[in-house]
């Protein structure tokens, strides 16, 4: 392993393209100068197709979690009843945020590694008409599950006037998202995942229905007040000093996504998912999630005859490859491979080959090359 050679294969932060690094290293500009206004004027329309909305996208200089908290504090008042669908660690994070704001939380738990059933949520909502907002996670990063957000949105819209608020942090930009068509009211993502940037920006799109609720919300807020960002954005500005270097990088990532074409971006992520899953199946190593609910952006693997942490250690120390571990009760039981953003099928082939070598190092009996071959066959079949 070369000293400065690192391979980042975790589900965020993800690798940053060289052209984006160059864009971020441009000389600093004044955050109230015309250059920044022009930059925001260029950026904001290009974000809309990624979210699948005609609404303006609010940009906060903060982490993805701040975006989730902003969704809560803007759309829900103290003592309101909300339903939080928990399919993993980040659904649980929504619960913790709501609890901090003294919101009455109805928690709906789903076994980690499984997706939520829209029919089950339909039944729950029919029994609890007092619920004012439903919170869900599109891609549950901790398990690699992609929840059926389109179907969940339909259930919420058909049965109630409840707001539907979605954490899209680890998949927006890597999977098809149609906020307006599906009926999502608030959709949040972060910069360090499929958007191919360092951490530090969070993006939020808000429906007209949600704006009506937000306008009537008397809960005080300052930095996280969506209305401030909306009003400033109308003048191609921001209410507070933005992370200018990240905005310069964002301009470049949006150009890259536009050049590739969003459908091709989504297909690339789907191909990488299928390559990764085929590889581990060929190696007879169990996956945490079923194919039909698996995310195109991250894959969780649950070995049954070797230690996940031992493999991660060899990958990191001998090959410079970072894979993610499990969270909460899955800590030490799984490892996760991120394949999103600035990542291609070539990167997946390299990753699988390294993992096979590391498996051999820790004494796992495999046929070297079996996983790589399975991934190659997927790639050749898909032609991506």
């Amino acid at each position: 392993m070369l000293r400065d050679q690192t391979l980042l294969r975790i589900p965020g932060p993800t690798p940053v393209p060289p052209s984006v690094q160059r864009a971020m290293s441009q000389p600093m500009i004044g955050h109230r100068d015309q250059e920044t206004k022009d930059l925001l004027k260029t950026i904001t329309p290009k974000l809309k197709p990624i979210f699948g909305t005609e609404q303006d996208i609010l940009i906060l200089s903060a982490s993805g979690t701040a975006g989730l908290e902003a969704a809560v504090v803007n759309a829900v008042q103290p003592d309101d009843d909300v339903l939080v669908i928990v399919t993993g660690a980040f659904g649980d994070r929504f619960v913790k945020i709501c609890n901090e704001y003294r919101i009455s939380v109805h928690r709906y738990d789903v076994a980690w590694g499984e997706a939520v059933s829209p029919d089950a949520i339909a039944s729950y909502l029919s029994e609890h008409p007092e619920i004012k907002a439903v919170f869900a996670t599109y891609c549950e990063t901790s398990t690699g599950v992609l929840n059926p957000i389109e179907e969940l949105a339909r259930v919420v819209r058909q049965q109630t006037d409840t707001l539907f608020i979605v954490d899209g942090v680890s998949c927006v930009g890597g999977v098809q998202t149609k906020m307006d068509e599906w009926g999502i009211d608030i959709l949040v993502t972060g910069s360090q995942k499929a958007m191919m940037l360092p951490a530090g920006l969070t993006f939020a799109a808000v429906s007209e229905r949600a704006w009506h609720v937000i306008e009537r919300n008397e809960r005080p807020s300052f930095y996280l007040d969506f209305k401030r960002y909306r009003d400033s954005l109308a003048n191609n500005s921001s209410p507070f000093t933005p992370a200018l270097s990240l905005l310069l990088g964002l301009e470049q990532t949006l150009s890259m996504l536009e050049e590739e074409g969003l459908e091709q971006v989504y297909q690339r992520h789907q191909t990488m998912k299928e390559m990764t899953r085929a590889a581990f199946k060929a190696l007879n190593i169990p996956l945490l999630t079923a194919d039909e609910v698996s995310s195109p952006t991250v894959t969780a693997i649950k070995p049954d005859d070797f230690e996940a942490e031992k493999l991660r250690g060899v990958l990191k120390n001998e090959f410079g490859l970072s894979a993610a571990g499990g969270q909460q009760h899955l800590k030490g039981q799984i490892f996760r491979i991120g394949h999103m953003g600035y990542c291609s099928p070539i990167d997946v082939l390299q990753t699988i080959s390294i993992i096979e070598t590391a498996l051999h190092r820790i004494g796992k009996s495999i046929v070297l090359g079996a996983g790589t071959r399975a991934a190659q066959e997927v790639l050749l079949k898909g032609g991506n």
Side-chain angles (χ1 to χ4, degrees), residues 6-316:
T6 58
L7 303 171
L8 197 60
R9 290 291 166 256
I10 61 175
T14 61
V16 178
S19 64
V20 175
Q21 294 177 352
R22 292 192 294 271
M24 291 190 298
S25 67
Q26 294 178 67
M28 190 50 56
I29 56 179
H31 70 292
R32 299 298 178 213
D33 290 349
Q34 188 61 42
E35 292 95 328
T36 299
K37 291 182 180 292
D38 293 341
L39 180 62
L40 287 169
K41 189 175 182 180
T42 299
I43 287 170
T44 49
K46 293 184 177 183
L47 283 167
K48 293 181 181 183
I50 297 170
F51 283 73
T53 184
E54 292 301 316
Q55 300 294 325
D56 286 331
I57 311 300
L58 310 179
I59 307 174
L60 287 68
S61 295
S63 70
T65 299
L68 305 183
E69 181 170 346
V72 171
V73 75
N74 280 271
V76 186
Q77 299 192 59
D79 300 323
D80 276 355
D81 285 81
V82 302
L83 172 62
V84 180
I85 301 168
V86 180
T87 55
F90 291 92
D92 185 58
R93 181 165 296 184
F94 257 143
V95 172
K96 292 174 180 175
I97 294 170
C98 289
N99 286 339
E100 286 292 327
Y101 285 96
R102 298 176 183 172
I103 294 164
S104 179
V105 177
H106 298 243
R107 178 179 178 132
Y108 189 92
D109 280 287
V110 178
W112 287 34
E114 297 179 9
V116 66
S117 163
D119 289 341
I121 298 305
S123 297
Y124 196 96
L125 289 174
S126 68
E127 296 169 3
H128 297 276
E130 70 275 17
I131 289 172
K132 301 286 184 66
V134 176
F135 292 87
T137 308
Y138 196 170
C139 170
E140 177 48 69
T141 322
S142 63
T143 64
V145 162
L146 194 74
N147 280 304
I149 292 300
E150 180 180 4
E151 291 81 1
L152 286 170
R154 185 181 303 119
V155 162
V156 173
R157 288 283 73 77
Q158 287 176 347
Q159 292 196 207
T160 70
D161 292 326
T162 296
L163 293 182
F164 187 45
I165 300 170
V166 176
D167 167 4
V169 171
S170 64
C171 65
V172 170
V175 302
Q176 187 175 67
T177 306
K178 297 182 178 181
M179 175 179 166
D180 291 351
E181 181 179 325
W182 295 348
I184 299 171
D185 290 300
I186 300 179
L187 178 60
V188 175
T189 194
S191 56
Q192 77 278 18
K193 307 277 186 173
M195 299 299 289
M196 302 186 289
L197 287 163
L201 294 179
T202 189
F203 309 94
V206 182
S207 72
E208 290 298 332
R209 292 179 70 258
W211 279 123
H212 290 315
V213 173
I214 291 169
E215 292 286 358
R216 298 195 301 270
N217 192 344
E218 297 180 356
R219 180 199 295 278
S221 180
F222 188 71
Y223 190 79
L224 299 179
D225 184 355
F226 278 166
K227 298 190 295 294
R228 295 179 191 271
Y229 289 90
R230 177 197 60 188
D231 295 345
S232 292
L233 194 59
N235 295 311
N236 296 311
S237 185
S238 61
F240 310 104
T241 305
L244 286 164
S245 294
L246 292 176
L247 292 181
L248 291 167
L250 175 61
E251 182 181 31
Q252 176 60 20
T253 67
L254 293 173
S255 295
M256 293 175 67
L257 292 172
E258 190 175 61
E259 180 181 352
E260 185 177 358
L262 286 179
E263 291 305 318
Q264 281 299 112
V265 171
Y266 302 150
Q267 182 55 54
R268 171 166 53 84
H269 283 78
Q270 181 69 18
T271 298
M272 292 190 294
K273 176 190 86 168
E274 292 174 3
M275 291 171 66
T276 304
R277 295 182 69 82
F280 284 102
K281 289 176 183 178
L283 294 168
N284 295 313
I285 300 174
L287 298 161
L288 180 64
T289 63
D291 289 347
E292 57 269 22
V293 299
S294 58
S295 173
T297 57
V298 55
T299 296
I301 302 96
K302 190 177 183 181
D304 55 8
D305 60 358
F306 65 88
E307 295 180 12
E309 291 302 295
K310 187 173 182 180
L311 176 66
R312 289 182 63 227
V314 171
L315 289 173
K316 177 70 171 178

